[in-house]
Amino acid sequence: EDQVTQSPEALRLQEGESSSLNCSYTVSGLRGLFWYRQDPGKGPEFLFTLYSAGEEKEKERLKATLTKKESFLHITAPKPEDSATYLCAVRVATGNQFYFGTGTSLTVIP
Amino acid sequence: DAGVTQSPTHLIKTRGQQVTLRCSPKSGHDTVSWYQQALGQGPQFIFQYYEEEERQRGNFPDRFSGHQFPNYSSELNVNALLLGDSALYLCAEGKGSTEAFFGQGTRLTVV
């Protein structure tokens, strides 16, 4: 069964304290791994797509990486405005839908 | 911002009632998917429409149905509402197998 697991469930960081969020997946043929940011009561906002192991993408303080079994979202010197829930999703070879993890709730304290 | 518009933003319904949610994707985006997101959970796939046909369906009962119009806009209908249907309903647009862009969602509360 296709499965996506995110850890930790919640993370509190001091402003400037770098860290990483993890997304591990077990799927039957990966067509893409996607990272989204979601603010409370809002829809997910697209961040990155990764397609193959070894691929990396960067955007401001965020960097996403992909291996054959997991993806990391690295946050460098976070700011309070980075506080949000970060969702990981995969698309598999047998279908078109996304399978989402339950997300990591990030709080950055000034 | 891909410009997906969902309406209404909030809705309160009584158990047993029926509800229709609407989604208007950005022009040219032919694939529309619907997701249900319960509080504290990740979105769960309901179904996907492409060229007015339901192309794929997730593990949701027949009470959940949908429609896509020639202009690619879409509706999600839920019949015989249950308390457990309370959630944020998200519409996502895309083209092919690339990333999907989500609307702001409709918050449905069933009382």
Side-chain angles (χ1 to χ4, degrees):
Chain A
E1 182 180 323
D2 299 318
Q3 195 166 3
V4 179
T5 304
Q6 290 189 248
S7 62
E9 289 186 9
L11 183 63
R12 289 171 64 90
L13 300 173
Q14 290 292 135
E15 184 172 1
E17 180 188 2
S18 301
S19 188
S20 296
L21 313 182
N22 178 262
C23 170
S24 63
Y25 60 92
T26 306
V27 298
S28 52
L30 181 71
R31 285 175 60 194
L33 186 139
F34 304 80
W35 282 98
Y36 286 86
R37 168 193 169 126
Q38 186 173 30
D39 293 302
K42 305 289 187 182
E45 175 190 344
F46 171 74
L47 294 174
F48 303 110
T49 307
L50 302 166
Y51 290 106
S52 56
E55 191 174 357
E56 298 182 353
K57 294 274 180 73
E58 283 190 71
K59 179 181 178 181
E60 296 180 355
R61 296 177 292 283
L62 300 177
K63 178 180 176 180
T65 62
L66 181 66
T67 72
K68 288 187 178 178
K69 293 185 177 180
E70 58 191 349
S71 177
F72 291 93
L73 184 65
H74 307 278
I75 303 177
T76 302
K79 299 182 178 181
E81 53 262 41
D82 294 323
S83 297
T85 295
Y86 291 84
L87 294 165
C88 167
V90 298
R91 220 173 208 151
V92 300
T94 53
N96 296 297
Q97 77 270 36
F98 287 107
Y99 292 94
F100 279 88
T102 54
T104 293
S105 176
L106 174 67
T107 303
V108 182
I109 305 161
Chain B
D1 187 357
V4 180
T5 304
Q6 290 189 244
S7 62
T9 55
H10 297 84
L11 201 53
I12 299 176
K13 288 287 189 178
T14 304
R15 275 179 299 176
Q17 284 189 314
Q18 179 265 342
V19 67
T20 298
L21 310 181
R22 295 177 176 82
C23 170
S24 296
K26 181 178 179 179
S27 176
H29 285 208
D30 54 8
T31 302
V32 173
S33 302
W34 286 92
Y35 289 80
Q36 179 195 66
Q37 186 176 24
L39 203 59
Q41 300 296 314
Q44 298 288 315
F45 176 73
I46 303 175
F47 42 56
Q48 184 181 81
Y49 278 84
Y50 173 70
E51 293 189 346
E52 303 178 56
E53 301 255 339
E54 183 182 289
R55 181 159 71 171
Q56 193 163 1
R57 188 178 183 91
N59 189 25
F60 278 80
D62 291 345
R63 298 187 298 110
F64 290 77
S65 63
H67 188 76
Q68 187 179 32
F69 299 94
N71 66 353
Y72 303 136
S73 66
S74 177
E75 289 182 348
L76 165 65
N77 300 291
V78 187
N79 293 322
L81 284 166
L82 304 173
L83 295 179
D85 295 331
S86 296
L88 182 68
Y89 287 84
L90 296 163
C91 170
E93 64 172 11
K95 200 162 177 63
S97 62
T98 60
E99 58 272 4
F101 297 95
F102 286 83
Q104 292 301 291
T106 294
R107 170 67 64 187
L108 172 64
T109 302
V110 182
V111 297

